[in-house]
Amino acid sequence: MYERILVPTDGSDVAEAAVDHALDLAEKYDAEVHALYVVDIDSINLGLGTEQVDRLKQGRFDEMEEVKAKADEATGAVAARAAERGVEVVEHVSGGRPHKLIAEYAEDHDIGLIVMGSHGRAGVRRALLGSVTERTLRSTHVPVLVVDYLDED
């Protein structure tokens, strides 16, 4: 049913819950998992300047060690967990608006399913999806599985 499953990740607990589901489905359907980390250029410190923001948009993270390390850690964690299960993983890091890049990546790589976390909030706000998740749902025709996360603490 699914040949390629996209799991956007930022390394958070919410994203990790989605990774579990993505890997379970990948095992079941013998699918390849694509771990995508998007550096949100809108939330990056505005003090970076246009030259550094342009580098982020082009995927040039080598000069920004902290950003590169966080991205590699997030996608690497997916790859390590997938390797334990014998699931193939493609790691990718991009810079831009997350919902747009998730939708574009899904289309460009013939993704059959996107698995992503909800915002993970509790109470009244729990009924609302996170903004990236909601915008992704509106930006793509690829099925999206939204995994809820509730912090146990």
Side-chain angles (χ1 to χ4, degrees):
M1 175 174 248
Y2 304 114
E3 292 181 30
R4 281 170 291 288
I5 298 171
L6 174 61
V7 60
T9 184
D10 60 4
S12 67
D13 290 340
V14 176
E16 291 301 307
V19 169
D20 287 337
H21 284 273
L23 293 176
D24 285 347
L25 289 166
E27 273 187 303
K28 180 174 182 169
Y29 293 107
D30 194 28
E32 179 180 74
V33 170
H34 290 241
L36 175 65
Y37 183 97
V38 177
V39 179
D40 185 353
I41 60 170
D42 290 341
S43 68
I44 292 285
N45 184 347
L46 296 176
L48 286 178
T50 56
E51 186 176 318
Q52 287 182 312
V53 170
D54 286 342
R55 284 188 195 128
L56 289 173
K57 287 181 182 178
Q58 296 167 5
R60 294 171 40 207
F61 305 101
D62 296 335
E63 298 166 16
M64 305 186 74
E65 292 179 27
E66 186 177 323
V67 172
K68 178 74 171 143
K70 186 174 180 183
D72 288 344
E73 182 179 339
T75 61
V78 176
R81 290 170 58 190
E84 293 172 0
R85 298 176 176 216
V87 173
E88 287 186 47
V89 174
V90 174
E91 296 178 65
H92 187 79
V93 179
S94 291
R97 302 186 107 201
H99 69 282
K100 284 186 175 183
L101 289 177
I102 292 166
E104 288 172 9
Y105 188 95
E107 186 175 321
D108 293 346
H109 294 87
D110 197 25
I111 298 295
L113 178 67
I114 300 169
V115 180
M116 59 191 305
S118 67
H119 51 73
R121 295 184 187 116
V124 174
R125 297 187 74 185
R126 186 171 178 223
L128 304 173
L129 292 176
S131 62
V132 172
T133 304
E134 185 177 340
R135 289 179 183 146
T136 300
L137 286 166
R138 289 192 237 155
S139 301
T140 185
H141 296 288
V142 174
V144 179
L145 171 61
V146 178
V147 178
D148 195 13
Y149 173 80
L150 183 59
D151 190 359
E152 298 296 323
D153 295 336

